[in-house]
Every structure is written in structure tokens, then in C-alpha cells.
Amino acid sequence: MNYAGREVFRMAKANRILYFDNLRLLMILFVVVLHLAVTYSGLGSWYYIEAEELDTVHTVFFGFYLCFTQGYSMGLLFLLAGYFVPASYDTKGFGKFIKDRLIRLGLPALFYMLVISPIIGILFGSGSGAYYHYIVSFEFLGASGPLWFAFALLLFSIVYAVVRKFFAIKAGNNDKAFPASHKIVALFLFISVCAFSIRIIQPIGTSILNMQLCYFSQYIILFIIGIKCKRNNWLENLTYAAGRVWLTLGLALGFIVWAILMLSGGALSGHLDLFMGGLTWQSAAYSLWESFVAVAMSIGLIALFKEKCDKQSKLIKTMADNAFSVYVFHAPIIIALSLLLAPIKFLPILKFAVLVLISIPVCFLFTNYVVRRVAFLRRLLA
């Protein structure tokens, strides 16, 4: 959520790093699916929830998908965003870089707050009077929806620019070997300690201006790692063999350890709050699991896509070109489709599957044949 700085939404297109394009596209698809999973499970926060009481099978299915996807997808996108930031600053300099970030990240976020979020309100019956109050009360500042990512990335980019300008950071690139395993372990341990500490004050489920600070240690650190990847050529020196090991560990241990934590920590007995934050062993263990998944899956997927997915068919290229637009517009689309199918009674998992199959093509068709045909939107989201 470049999608990653629009640097995985835009700079990737400019530099044509095809595996970045493809990986970013996959993450956006997973985000759309994640929001549908929240819709039909009630596990998490979303505009529209149509959740019945879940049995054990539904709870495990939705619980693991939501935890696992949340565990690495946005952190990976921040890492990809960070990768493009140094070259952009090198080319533009301080002033032009800030202006570019404000246009490419700030304007879409503001558009979502002022236009798309109110449209979602209309789906739930809000009127013009409510919109007036929404503006004058500055309520819109907390209504960024999925575009919290763009707003957060704007803040990260501004901090980076200030550091570059006033602390004389060297701009040169180096060619260094990809970090050894013990350094990678140290990385996810550090992220987990930071996450656990933040969640004592800001547990999972809380937010400030729609930004869940409980996850921000991962986002900030992986954004910085993305910058270091660019400066040190780490991704170029990441081998497929090493990445495959981390991907296998992320997938296998990701599920096994998650299941052990949920069972031993009392999640199925109604004690999910113990995992959300505070001075509990469950919060500490969950922070460690989540940080491991973020690092392992990021390394593994980057290596996999670099080796196996560094090309595009015409269809994939079209989808990749529409990725940021789908990210911006998917919320009202999937909410409208969910409301249309609300009267139909299915098992939650079946309804979820049907909506996934319907929503993804509808989102891409809408952005490609409607959004991209409107000059203002094409320029805003290009």
C-alpha cells in the first residue's frame, strides 16, 4: 500500500523492475482478499461486517489468513517503497522530492478522504448534512481507509528527505553480500521487541488517525531496510537458494507456530485480547511470530519473484498498471458487492470465496475501463 511509495506503484513502472511490479500486484490482491475475509469473519476492522458466529473450522481458516497476511504484506510493501526512495531523492533533490511525494502520495490520500470515504458513507445512508459536519469537524483526517499507507509513506519519505538534507548522509551505492542468517535473525528479533513494547501502550486494534501504530515498528524498520537494500545492492545479491529457505520456513513455521500459539494461548477460549498487547507472554510470542513471518516471507517472495516471475504477459501488465487504482477504489466496490449479496444465505467461507472470484475482476475492470478513462483520475493515479 510505487504502491510502495507509489514507488512500487510508479517508480517500478518507470524503471521497469518487472518482478517488483508482479510482487506488488500480488500483495494488492491479497489486501483485497483480506478485507473480504474481515467482512465474512468479523475478525478485524472494516466498513462492513456480515459475520455470523464462526465454528472452529471457519475461525482457524479466517484467523490464520488474516494474521499471516497482515503479518508480512504491508511490511513487504514498505520495504519495496524504501528501495526506490534513494534514487528518487538523488535525482530530484530535497525540494522536488518533497513536492513529488506530496503530489503522488498526499493527493490520492486526500482524494480518498474527501471523495471515496463519503461515497462509502452514502452506501450506508449518510446525507449531505453529515458530509458538512465531516469536513468542518476535520473528521475526514481519520477517514483515510486503505490510503493510510500512502499517508504513512508520505511521512516516512519526508523524514528521509530531512535526514538526507541536514545530516549529510552519503548518497553512494555499494556492492555488498546479502546479510547472513544471524543478521536476519537479529533483525526480526529487534522488530519483535519494538512491536511488543509499542503494544503495551497501543495494542492491536487501536489507531491514531486510522494508523495502527502497533504495526509501525515493522513498517518503519522494513522501510529503512529497503533503503539499505538499494544502497548495498542486497536484492541483486540475494540468491534464489537462500530465499527459498526463508520462504519455506515462513510458510511452514508460520502456520505451525501460529497454531501452537493460538491453542496454548487461549485464543479458541475467547482470550484473544491477551495476544493484542500488554505485558503478557501471548503478546510477546505473537510479536515474535509476526516479525519472523514479515522478514522470512519478504526475503522469500523477493527471491522467488526475482527468479521466477520477472516477466509479464499482456494481462499481467494491464493488471499491474491498474494496481494502485484498484488499491484506491477497491473499498467501495467490494462493500457494494457485499451489500448486493447480503440477502443470499451461504456458509461464510463459501460466500467469501464467491466474493473473491467476483470482486477481483470487477475491481480491475472498473479501474481499467472507467477510472483510466477520466483524465483527472488518470493523472492522479498514474
Side-chain angles (χ1 to χ4, degrees), residues 4-6 78 81 85 97-110 113 147-161 211 223:
R6 276 204 12 191
F78 276 108
V85 166
F97 176 83
I98 295 294
K99 179 181 178 181
D100 179 73
R101 298 303 87 191
L102 288 170
I103 293 171
R104 296 188 174 193
L105 298 171
L107 288 183
L110 191 61
M113 295 176 197
L147 269 291
W148 68 266
F149 174 83
F151 185 53
L153 193 51
L154 173 62
L155 296 178
F156 293 1
S157 299
I158 290 173
V159 171
Y160 172 82
M211 291 189 287
F223 177 76

PDB file of all heavy atoms in Angstrom, residues 4-6 78 81 85 97-110 113 147-161 211 223:
ATOM      1  N   ALA A   4       4.109   1.130  -3.114  1.00  0.00           N
ATOM      2  CA  ALA A   4       5.016   1.323  -2.086  1.00  0.00           C
ATOM      3  C   ALA A   4       5.638   2.635  -2.397  1.00  0.00           C
ATOM      4  O   ALA A   4       6.696   2.747  -2.806  1.00  0.00           O
ATOM      5  CB  ALA A   4       6.018   0.237  -2.160  1.00  0.00           C
ATOM      6  N   GLY A   5       5.122   3.583  -2.284  1.00  0.00           N
ATOM      7  CA  GLY A   5       5.620   4.928  -2.284  1.00  0.00           C
ATOM      8  C   GLY A   5       5.127   5.593  -3.451  1.00  0.00           C
ATOM      9  O   GLY A   5       5.502   6.675  -3.767  1.00  0.00           O
ATOM     10  N   ARG A   6       4.179   4.837  -3.944  1.00  0.00           N
ATOM     11  CA  ARG A   6       3.884   4.932  -5.320  1.00  0.00           C
ATOM     12  C   ARG A   6       5.166   4.682  -5.974  1.00  0.00           C
ATOM     13  O   ARG A   6       5.286   4.887  -7.139  1.00  0.00           O
ATOM     14  CB  ARG A   6       3.394   6.275  -5.679  1.00  0.00           C
ATOM     15  CG  ARG A   6       2.043   6.194  -5.377  1.00  0.00           C
ATOM     16  CD  ARG A   6       1.022   6.706  -5.689  1.00  0.00           C
ATOM     17  NE  ARG A   6       0.818   7.528  -6.739  1.00  0.00           N
ATOM     18  CZ  ARG A   6      -0.263   8.150  -6.818  1.00  0.00           C
ATOM     19  NH1 ARG A   6      -1.122   8.013  -5.897  1.00  0.00           N
ATOM     20  NH2 ARG A   6      -0.501   8.898  -7.791  1.00  0.00           N
ATOM     21  N   PHE A  78       6.281  -1.701   2.298  1.00  0.00           N
ATOM     22  CA  PHE A  78       7.121  -0.605   2.774  1.00  0.00           C
ATOM     23  C   PHE A  78       8.588  -0.848   2.424  1.00  0.00           C
ATOM     24  O   PHE A  78       9.319   0.092   2.106  1.00  0.00           O
ATOM     25  CB  PHE A  78       6.956  -0.430   4.282  1.00  0.00           C
ATOM     26  CG  PHE A  78       5.766   0.415   4.668  1.00  0.00           C
ATOM     27  CD1 PHE A  78       4.642  -0.163   5.238  1.00  0.00           C
ATOM     28  CD2 PHE A  78       5.773   1.779   4.459  1.00  0.00           C
ATOM     29  CE1 PHE A  78       3.544   0.604   5.582  1.00  0.00           C
ATOM     30  CE2 PHE A  78       4.683   2.567   4.804  1.00  0.00           C
ATOM     31  CZ  PHE A  78       3.558   1.973   5.366  1.00  0.00           C
ATOM     32  N   ALA A  81       8.950   0.046  -1.135  1.00  0.00           N
ATOM     33  CA  ALA A  81       8.898   1.502  -1.262  1.00  0.00           C
ATOM     34  C   ALA A  81      10.242   2.123  -0.919  1.00  0.00           C
ATOM     35  O   ALA A  81      10.747   2.994  -1.625  1.00  0.00           O
ATOM     36  CB  ALA A  81       7.814   2.070  -0.346  1.00  0.00           C
ATOM     37  N   VAL A  85      13.245   4.978  -2.869  1.00  0.00           N
ATOM     38  CA  VAL A  85      13.348   6.337  -2.349  1.00  0.00           C
ATOM     39  C   VAL A  85      14.724   6.983  -2.581  1.00  0.00           C
ATOM     40  O   VAL A  85      14.793   8.145  -3.003  1.00  0.00           O
ATOM     41  CB  VAL A  85      12.968   6.352  -0.852  1.00  0.00           C
ATOM     42  CG1 VAL A  85      13.393   7.656  -0.185  1.00  0.00           C
ATOM     43  CG2 VAL A  85      11.461   6.168  -0.706  1.00  0.00           C
ATOM     44  N   PHE A  97      11.784  16.495  -4.428  1.00  0.00           N
ATOM     45  CA  PHE A  97      11.404  15.203  -3.851  1.00  0.00           C
ATOM     46  C   PHE A  97      10.182  15.366  -2.953  1.00  0.00           C
ATOM     47  O   PHE A  97       9.221  14.591  -3.047  1.00  0.00           O
ATOM     48  CB  PHE A  97      12.572  14.616  -3.059  1.00  0.00           C
ATOM     49  CG  PHE A  97      12.251  13.329  -2.354  1.00  0.00           C
ATOM     50  CD1 PHE A  97      12.305  12.129  -3.038  1.00  0.00           C
ATOM     51  CD2 PHE A  97      11.922  13.324  -1.001  1.00  0.00           C
ATOM     52  CE1 PHE A  97      12.020  10.931  -2.385  1.00  0.00           C
ATOM     53  CE2 PHE A  97      11.634  12.133  -0.346  1.00  0.00           C
ATOM     54  CZ  PHE A  97      11.679  10.938  -1.037  1.00  0.00           C
ATOM     55  N   ILE A  98      10.202  16.374  -2.063  1.00  0.00           N
ATOM     56  CA  ILE A  98       9.066  16.620  -1.169  1.00  0.00           C
ATOM     57  C   ILE A  98       7.815  16.944  -1.990  1.00  0.00           C
ATOM     58  O   ILE A  98       6.721  16.414  -1.719  1.00  0.00           O
ATOM     59  CB  ILE A  98       9.371  17.768  -0.190  1.00  0.00           C
ATOM     60  CG1 ILE A  98      10.511  17.380   0.759  1.00  0.00           C
ATOM     61  CG2 ILE A  98       8.120  18.144   0.596  1.00  0.00           C
ATOM     62  CD1 ILE A  98      10.182  16.269   1.710  1.00  0.00           C
ATOM     63  N   LYS A  99       7.960  17.800  -2.988  1.00  0.00           N
ATOM     64  CA  LYS A  99       6.808  18.154  -3.820  1.00  0.00           C
ATOM     65  C   LYS A  99       6.239  16.927  -4.513  1.00  0.00           C
ATOM     66  O   LYS A  99       5.012  16.735  -4.557  1.00  0.00           O
ATOM     67  CB  LYS A  99       7.231  19.201  -4.859  1.00  0.00           C
ATOM     68  CG  LYS A  99       6.100  19.626  -5.788  1.00  0.00           C
ATOM     69  CD  LYS A  99       6.588  20.649  -6.805  1.00  0.00           C
ATOM     70  CE  LYS A  99       5.463  21.040  -7.771  1.00  0.00           C
ATOM     71  NZ  LYS A  99       5.947  22.016  -8.790  1.00  0.00           N
ATOM     72  N   ASP A 100       7.116  16.103  -5.041  1.00  0.00           N
ATOM     73  CA  ASP A 100       6.679  14.882  -5.718  1.00  0.00           C
ATOM     74  C   ASP A 100       5.944  13.951  -4.771  1.00  0.00           C
ATOM     75  O   ASP A 100       4.898  13.390  -5.119  1.00  0.00           O
ATOM     76  CB  ASP A 100       7.899  14.172  -6.302  1.00  0.00           C
ATOM     77  CG  ASP A 100       7.538  12.877  -6.996  1.00  0.00           C
ATOM     78  OD1 ASP A 100       6.960  12.950  -8.092  1.00  0.00           O
ATOM     79  OD2 ASP A 100       7.832  11.795  -6.451  1.00  0.00           O
ATOM     80  N   ARG A 101       6.448  13.791  -3.543  1.00  0.00           N
ATOM     81  CA  ARG A 101       5.779  12.922  -2.565  1.00  0.00           C
ATOM     82  C   ARG A 101       4.411  13.473  -2.184  1.00  0.00           C
ATOM     83  O   ARG A 101       3.455  12.714  -2.007  1.00  0.00           O
ATOM     84  CB  ARG A 101       6.622  12.790  -1.294  1.00  0.00           C
ATOM     85  CG  ARG A 101       7.990  12.172  -1.447  1.00  0.00           C
ATOM     86  CD  ARG A 101       7.971  10.780  -2.048  1.00  0.00           C
ATOM     87  NE  ARG A 101       7.995  10.858  -3.496  1.00  0.00           N
ATOM     88  CZ  ARG A 101       7.786   9.842  -4.311  1.00  0.00           C
ATOM     89  NH1 ARG A 101       7.507   8.662  -3.823  1.00  0.00           N
ATOM     90  NH2 ARG A 101       7.844   9.993  -5.607  1.00  0.00           N
ATOM     91  N   LEU A 102       4.319  14.805  -2.044  1.00  0.00           N
ATOM     92  CA  LEU A 102       3.030  15.404  -1.701  1.00  0.00           C
ATOM     93  C   LEU A 102       1.999  15.155  -2.797  1.00  0.00           C
ATOM     94  O   LEU A 102       0.825  14.878  -2.517  1.00  0.00           O
ATOM     95  CB  LEU A 102       3.196  16.910  -1.464  1.00  0.00           C
ATOM     96  CG  LEU A 102       3.919  17.305  -0.169  1.00  0.00           C
ATOM     97  CD1 LEU A 102       4.236  18.791  -0.168  1.00  0.00           C
ATOM     98  CD2 LEU A 102       3.080  16.937   1.051  1.00  0.00           C
ATOM     99  N   ILE A 103       2.445  15.261  -4.049  1.00  0.00           N
ATOM    100  CA  ILE A 103       1.525  15.047  -5.170  1.00  0.00           C
ATOM    101  C   ILE A 103       1.160  13.574  -5.302  1.00  0.00           C
ATOM    102  O   ILE A 103      -0.018  13.220  -5.432  1.00  0.00           O
ATOM    103  CB  ILE A 103       2.151  15.575  -6.482  1.00  0.00           C
ATOM    104  CG1 ILE A 103       2.280  17.103  -6.431  1.00  0.00           C
ATOM    105  CG2 ILE A 103       1.328  15.145  -7.696  1.00  0.00           C
ATOM    106  CD1 ILE A 103       3.074  17.685  -7.587  1.00  0.00           C
ATOM    107  N   ARG A 104       2.154  12.716  -5.263  1.00  0.00           N
ATOM    108  CA  ARG A 104       1.928  11.301  -5.557  1.00  0.00           C
ATOM    109  C   ARG A 104       1.332  10.512  -4.401  1.00  0.00           C
ATOM    110  O   ARG A 104       0.693   9.480  -4.615  1.00  0.00           O
ATOM    111  CB  ARG A 104       3.232  10.658  -5.999  1.00  0.00           C
ATOM    112  CG  ARG A 104       3.767  11.237  -7.300  1.00  0.00           C
ATOM    113  CD  ARG A 104       4.945  10.452  -7.806  1.00  0.00           C
ATOM    114  NE  ARG A 104       5.367  10.917  -9.123  1.00  0.00           N
ATOM    115  CZ  ARG A 104       6.198  10.258  -9.910  1.00  0.00           C
ATOM    116  NH1 ARG A 104       6.692   9.103  -9.510  1.00  0.00           N
ATOM    117  NH2 ARG A 104       6.540  10.735 -11.087  1.00  0.00           N
ATOM    118  N   LEU A 105       1.545  10.976  -3.183  1.00  0.00           N
ATOM    119  CA  LEU A 105       1.018  10.275  -2.015  1.00  0.00           C
ATOM    120  C   LEU A 105      -0.055  11.080  -1.296  1.00  0.00           C
ATOM    121  O   LEU A 105      -1.092  10.543  -0.920  1.00  0.00           O
ATOM    122  CB  LEU A 105       2.160   9.953  -1.049  1.00  0.00           C
ATOM    123  CG  LEU A 105       3.248   9.037  -1.595  1.00  0.00           C
ATOM    124  CD1 LEU A 105       4.424   8.968  -0.618  1.00  0.00           C
ATOM    125  CD2 LEU A 105       2.706   7.652  -1.864  1.00  0.00           C
ATOM    126  N   GLY A 106       0.212  12.378  -1.109  1.00  0.00           N
ATOM    127  CA  GLY A 106      -0.730  13.202  -0.369  1.00  0.00           C
ATOM    128  C   GLY A 106      -2.051  13.407  -1.088  1.00  0.00           C
ATOM    129  O   GLY A 106      -3.124  13.296  -0.481  1.00  0.00           O
ATOM    130  N   LEU A 107      -1.999  13.707  -2.389  1.00  0.00           N
ATOM    131  CA  LEU A 107      -3.239  13.972  -3.130  1.00  0.00           C
ATOM    132  C   LEU A 107      -4.154  12.747  -3.213  1.00  0.00           C
ATOM    133  O   LEU A 107      -5.365  12.877  -3.012  1.00  0.00           O
ATOM    134  CB  LEU A 107      -2.923  14.516  -4.520  1.00  0.00           C
ATOM    135  CG  LEU A 107      -2.378  15.959  -4.564  1.00  0.00           C
ATOM    136  CD1 LEU A 107      -2.174  16.401  -6.008  1.00  0.00           C
ATOM    137  CD2 LEU A 107      -3.317  16.916  -3.834  1.00  0.00           C
ATOM    138  N   PRO A 108      -3.642  11.551  -3.535  1.00  0.00           N
ATOM    139  CA  PRO A 108      -4.539  10.394  -3.520  1.00  0.00           C
ATOM    140  C   PRO A 108      -5.157  10.129  -2.144  1.00  0.00           C
ATOM    141  O   PRO A 108      -6.329   9.755  -2.048  1.00  0.00           O
ATOM    142  CB  PRO A 108      -3.634   9.240  -3.958  1.00  0.00           C
ATOM    143  CG  PRO A 108      -2.574   9.891  -4.761  1.00  0.00           C
ATOM    144  CD  PRO A 108      -2.319  11.200  -4.080  1.00  0.00           C
ATOM    145  N   ALA A 109      -4.365  10.317  -1.082  1.00  0.00           N
ATOM    146  CA  ALA A 109      -4.912  10.120   0.261  1.00  0.00           C
ATOM    147  C   ALA A 109      -6.021  11.132   0.536  1.00  0.00           C
ATOM    148  O   ALA A 109      -7.077  10.793   1.088  1.00  0.00           O
ATOM    149  CB  ALA A 109      -3.801  10.253   1.302  1.00  0.00           C
ATOM    150  N   LEU A 110      -5.792  12.386   0.138  1.00  0.00           N
ATOM    151  CA  LEU A 110      -6.811  13.417   0.336  1.00  0.00           C
ATOM    152  C   LEU A 110      -8.042  13.131  -0.508  1.00  0.00           C
ATOM    153  O   LEU A 110      -9.185  13.325  -0.059  1.00  0.00           O
ATOM    154  CB  LEU A 110      -6.226  14.786  -0.025  1.00  0.00           C
ATOM    155  CG  LEU A 110      -7.048  16.017   0.357  1.00  0.00           C
ATOM    156  CD1 LEU A 110      -7.228  16.078   1.874  1.00  0.00           C
ATOM    157  CD2 LEU A 110      -6.388  17.288  -0.157  1.00  0.00           C
ATOM    158  N   MET A 113     -10.074  10.596   1.259  1.00  0.00           N
ATOM    159  CA  MET A 113     -10.763  11.148   2.421  1.00  0.00           C
ATOM    160  C   MET A 113     -11.980  11.989   2.032  1.00  0.00           C
ATOM    161  O   MET A 113     -13.031  11.909   2.677  1.00  0.00           O
ATOM    162  CB  MET A 113      -9.797  12.024   3.232  1.00  0.00           C
ATOM    163  CG  MET A 113      -8.636  11.293   3.864  1.00  0.00           C
ATOM    164  SD  MET A 113      -7.538  12.488   4.685  1.00  0.00           S
ATOM    165  CE  MET A 113      -6.045  11.524   4.874  1.00  0.00           C
ATOM    166  N   LEU A 147      -5.896   4.046   2.338  1.00  0.00           N
ATOM    167  CA  LEU A 147      -4.883   5.041   1.961  1.00  0.00           C
ATOM    168  C   LEU A 147      -4.073   5.543   3.151  1.00  0.00           C
ATOM    169  O   LEU A 147      -3.241   6.452   3.003  1.00  0.00           O
ATOM    170  CB  LEU A 147      -5.535   6.197   1.215  1.00  0.00           C
ATOM    171  CG  LEU A 147      -5.602   6.049  -0.314  1.00  0.00           C
ATOM    172  CD1 LEU A 147      -4.214   6.148  -0.943  1.00  0.00           C
ATOM    173  CD2 LEU A 147      -6.255   4.754  -0.738  1.00  0.00           C
ATOM    174  N   TRP A 148      -4.296   4.940   4.326  1.00  0.00           N
ATOM    175  CA  TRP A 148      -3.386   5.226   5.443  1.00  0.00           C
ATOM    176  C   TRP A 148      -1.952   4.911   5.010  1.00  0.00           C
ATOM    177  O   TRP A 148      -1.010   5.545   5.482  1.00  0.00           O
ATOM    178  CB  TRP A 148      -3.742   4.388   6.681  1.00  0.00           C
ATOM    179  CG  TRP A 148      -3.481   2.919   6.506  1.00  0.00           C
ATOM    180  CD1 TRP A 148      -4.361   1.965   6.108  1.00  0.00           C
ATOM    181  CD2 TRP A 148      -2.219   2.253   6.689  1.00  0.00           C
ATOM    182  NE1 TRP A 148      -3.736   0.737   6.026  1.00  0.00           N
ATOM    183  CE2 TRP A 148      -2.430   0.881   6.377  1.00  0.00           C
ATOM    184  CE3 TRP A 148      -0.953   2.671   7.084  1.00  0.00           C
ATOM    185  CZ2 TRP A 148      -1.406  -0.069   6.447  1.00  0.00           C
ATOM    186  CZ3 TRP A 148       0.069   1.730   7.151  1.00  0.00           C
ATOM    187  CH2 TRP A 148      -0.163   0.381   6.839  1.00  0.00           C
ATOM    188  N   PHE A 149      -1.824   3.926   4.134  1.00  0.00           N
ATOM    189  CA  PHE A 149      -0.497   3.536   3.664  1.00  0.00           C
ATOM    190  C   PHE A 149       0.196   4.692   2.949  1.00  0.00           C
ATOM    191  O   PHE A 149       1.371   4.977   3.191  1.00  0.00           O
ATOM    192  CB  PHE A 149      -0.621   2.335   2.727  1.00  0.00           C
ATOM    193  CG  PHE A 149       0.675   1.948   2.070  1.00  0.00           C
ATOM    194  CD1 PHE A 149       1.587   1.150   2.724  1.00  0.00           C
ATOM    195  CD2 PHE A 149       0.988   2.404   0.803  1.00  0.00           C
ATOM    196  CE1 PHE A 149       2.794   0.807   2.124  1.00  0.00           C
ATOM    197  CE2 PHE A 149       2.191   2.065   0.201  1.00  0.00           C
ATOM    198  CZ  PHE A 149       3.094   1.265   0.869  1.00  0.00           C
ATOM    199  N   ALA A 150      -0.536   5.363   2.067  1.00  0.00           N
ATOM    200  CA  ALA A 150       0.044   6.487   1.337  1.00  0.00           C
ATOM    201  C   ALA A 150       0.418   7.609   2.298  1.00  0.00           C
ATOM    202  O   ALA A 150       1.473   8.244   2.154  1.00  0.00           O
ATOM    203  CB  ALA A 150      -0.936   6.986   0.278  1.00  0.00           C
ATOM    204  N   PHE A 151      -0.443   7.866   3.275  1.00  0.00           N
ATOM    205  CA  PHE A 151      -0.179   8.931   4.236  1.00  0.00           C
ATOM    206  C   PHE A 151       1.057   8.590   5.072  1.00  0.00           C
ATOM    207  O   PHE A 151       1.935   9.438   5.290  1.00  0.00           O
ATOM    208  CB  PHE A 151      -1.399   9.135   5.134  1.00  0.00           C
ATOM    209  CG  PHE A 151      -1.280  10.292   6.076  1.00  0.00           C
ATOM    210  CD1 PHE A 151      -0.956  11.562   5.613  1.00  0.00           C
ATOM    211  CD2 PHE A 151      -1.494  10.124   7.430  1.00  0.00           C
ATOM    212  CE1 PHE A 151      -0.837  12.640   6.478  1.00  0.00           C
ATOM    213  CE2 PHE A 151      -1.380  11.194   8.311  1.00  0.00           C
ATOM    214  CZ  PHE A 151      -1.056  12.452   7.833  1.00  0.00           C
ATOM    215  N   ALA A 152       1.146   7.347   5.547  1.00  0.00           N
ATOM    216  CA  ALA A 152       2.309   6.930   6.340  1.00  0.00           C
ATOM    217  C   ALA A 152       3.576   6.994   5.505  1.00  0.00           C
ATOM    218  O   ALA A 152       4.624   7.464   5.973  1.00  0.00           O
ATOM    219  CB  ALA A 152       2.091   5.516   6.880  1.00  0.00           C
ATOM    220  N   LEU A 153       3.487   6.562   4.259  1.00  0.00           N
ATOM    221  CA  LEU A 153       4.657   6.578   3.396  1.00  0.00           C
ATOM    222  C   LEU A 153       5.104   7.998   3.088  1.00  0.00           C
ATOM    223  O   LEU A 153       6.302   8.274   2.961  1.00  0.00           O
ATOM    224  CB  LEU A 153       4.351   5.833   2.098  1.00  0.00           C
ATOM    225  CG  LEU A 153       5.530   5.488   1.204  1.00  0.00           C
ATOM    226  CD1 LEU A 153       6.634   4.779   1.975  1.00  0.00           C
ATOM    227  CD2 LEU A 153       5.052   4.628   0.036  1.00  0.00           C
ATOM    228  N   LEU A 154       4.152   8.913   2.995  1.00  0.00           N
ATOM    229  CA  LEU A 154       4.496  10.326   2.834  1.00  0.00           C
ATOM    230  C   LEU A 154       5.303  10.812   4.035  1.00  0.00           C
ATOM    231  O   LEU A 154       6.333  11.490   3.870  1.00  0.00           O
ATOM    232  CB  LEU A 154       3.211  11.147   2.672  1.00  0.00           C
ATOM    233  CG  LEU A 154       3.376  12.673   2.660  1.00  0.00           C
ATOM    234  CD1 LEU A 154       4.236  13.128   1.487  1.00  0.00           C
ATOM    235  CD2 LEU A 154       2.001  13.354   2.617  1.00  0.00           C
ATOM    236  N   LEU A 155       4.861  10.459   5.230  1.00  0.00           N
ATOM    237  CA  LEU A 155       5.592  10.872   6.436  1.00  0.00           C
ATOM    238  C   LEU A 155       6.993  10.262   6.473  1.00  0.00           C
ATOM    239  O   LEU A 155       7.970  10.954   6.780  1.00  0.00           O
ATOM    240  CB  LEU A 155       4.809  10.459   7.681  1.00  0.00           C
ATOM    241  CG  LEU A 155       3.440  11.115   7.887  1.00  0.00           C
ATOM    242  CD1 LEU A 155       2.777  10.572   9.144  1.00  0.00           C
ATOM    243  CD2 LEU A 155       3.557  12.628   7.960  1.00  0.00           C
ATOM    244  N   PHE A 156       7.098   8.977   6.142  1.00  0.00           N
ATOM    245  CA  PHE A 156       8.411   8.321   6.130  1.00  0.00           C
ATOM    246  C   PHE A 156       9.335   8.998   5.125  1.00  0.00           C
ATOM    247  O   PHE A 156      10.526   9.210   5.391  1.00  0.00           O
ATOM    248  CB  PHE A 156       8.261   6.849   5.739  1.00  0.00           C
ATOM    249  CG  PHE A 156       7.534   5.991   6.735  1.00  0.00           C
ATOM    250  CD1 PHE A 156       7.021   6.510   7.917  1.00  0.00           C
ATOM    251  CD2 PHE A 156       7.349   4.636   6.488  1.00  0.00           C
ATOM    252  CE1 PHE A 156       6.342   5.715   8.827  1.00  0.00           C
ATOM    253  CE2 PHE A 156       6.681   3.828   7.391  1.00  0.00           C
ATOM    254  CZ  PHE A 156       6.173   4.368   8.559  1.00  0.00           C
ATOM    255  N   SER A 157       8.793   9.341   3.962  1.00  0.00           N
ATOM    256  CA  SER A 157       9.601   9.956   2.902  1.00  0.00           C
ATOM    257  C   SER A 157      10.088  11.337   3.305  1.00  0.00           C
ATOM    258  O   SER A 157      11.226  11.719   3.022  1.00  0.00           O
ATOM    259  CB  SER A 157       8.786  10.038   1.607  1.00  0.00           C
ATOM    260  OG  SER A 157       8.395   8.754   1.157  1.00  0.00           O
ATOM    261  N   ILE A 158       9.222  12.090   3.978  1.00  0.00           N
ATOM    262  CA  ILE A 158       9.609  13.424   4.425  1.00  0.00           C
ATOM    263  C   ILE A 158      10.734  13.319   5.460  1.00  0.00           C
ATOM    264  O   ILE A 158      11.716  14.084   5.416  1.00  0.00           O
ATOM    265  CB  ILE A 158       8.397  14.179   4.997  1.00  0.00           C
ATOM    266  CG1 ILE A 158       7.418  14.537   3.867  1.00  0.00           C
ATOM    267  CG2 ILE A 158       8.839  15.449   5.734  1.00  0.00           C
ATOM    268  CD1 ILE A 158       6.115  15.134   4.350  1.00  0.00           C
ATOM    269  N   VAL A 159      10.597  12.380   6.394  1.00  0.00           N
ATOM    270  CA  VAL A 159      11.653  12.183   7.391  1.00  0.00           C
ATOM    271  C   VAL A 159      12.961  11.810   6.704  1.00  0.00           C
ATOM    272  O   VAL A 159      14.037  12.331   7.042  1.00  0.00           O
ATOM    273  CB  VAL A 159      11.245  11.107   8.412  1.00  0.00           C
ATOM    274  CG1 VAL A 159      12.424  10.737   9.308  1.00  0.00           C
ATOM    275  CG2 VAL A 159      10.067  11.598   9.255  1.00  0.00           C
ATOM    276  N   TYR A 160      12.898  10.923   5.723  1.00  0.00           N
ATOM    277  CA  TYR A 160      14.099  10.534   4.983  1.00  0.00           C
ATOM    278  C   TYR A 160      14.736  11.746   4.315  1.00  0.00           C
ATOM    279  O   TYR A 160      15.965  11.930   4.372  1.00  0.00           O
ATOM    280  CB  TYR A 160      13.743   9.491   3.921  1.00  0.00           C
ATOM    281  CG  TYR A 160      14.887   9.178   2.974  1.00  0.00           C
ATOM    282  CD1 TYR A 160      15.885   8.285   3.336  1.00  0.00           C
ATOM    283  CD2 TYR A 160      14.981   9.804   1.727  1.00  0.00           C
ATOM    284  CE1 TYR A 160      16.952   8.003   2.492  1.00  0.00           C
ATOM    285  CE2 TYR A 160      16.042   9.530   0.873  1.00  0.00           C
ATOM    286  CZ  TYR A 160      17.019   8.639   1.254  1.00  0.00           C
ATOM    287  OH  TYR A 160      18.068   8.370   0.411  1.00  0.00           O
ATOM    288  N   ALA A 161      13.921  12.587   3.679  1.00  0.00           N
ATOM    289  CA  ALA A 161      14.448  13.759   2.990  1.00  0.00           C
ATOM    290  C   ALA A 161      15.120  14.724   3.963  1.00  0.00           C
ATOM    291  O   ALA A 161      16.190  15.284   3.671  1.00  0.00           O
ATOM    292  CB  ALA A 161      13.320  14.469   2.234  1.00  0.00           C
ATOM    293  N   MET A 211      -4.214   5.091  11.653  1.00  0.00           N
ATOM    294  CA  MET A 211      -2.937   4.391  11.536  1.00  0.00           C
ATOM    295  C   MET A 211      -2.722   3.561  12.795  1.00  0.00           C
ATOM    296  O   MET A 211      -2.704   4.103  13.907  1.00  0.00           O
ATOM    297  CB  MET A 211      -1.788   5.381  11.317  1.00  0.00           C
ATOM    298  CG  MET A 211      -1.840   6.051   9.959  1.00  0.00           C
ATOM    299  SD  MET A 211      -0.361   7.022   9.558  1.00  0.00           S
ATOM    300  CE  MET A 211      -0.604   8.414  10.656  1.00  0.00           C
ATOM    301  N   PHE A 223      11.024  -0.320   5.918  1.00  0.00           N
ATOM    302  CA  PHE A 223      11.231   0.807   5.009  1.00  0.00           C
ATOM    303  C   PHE A 223      12.720   1.185   4.979  1.00  0.00           C
ATOM    304  O   PHE A 223      13.307   1.389   3.908  1.00  0.00           O
ATOM    305  CB  PHE A 223      10.393   1.993   5.464  1.00  0.00           C
ATOM    306  CG  PHE A 223      10.574   3.246   4.651  1.00  0.00           C
ATOM    307  CD1 PHE A 223      10.008   3.379   3.396  1.00  0.00           C
ATOM    308  CD2 PHE A 223      11.323   4.303   5.149  1.00  0.00           C
ATOM    309  CE1 PHE A 223      10.173   4.543   2.643  1.00  0.00           C
ATOM    310  CE2 PHE A 223      11.503   5.475   4.414  1.00  0.00           C
ATOM    311  CZ  PHE A 223      10.922   5.589   3.153  1.00  0.00           C
TER     312      PHE A 223
END
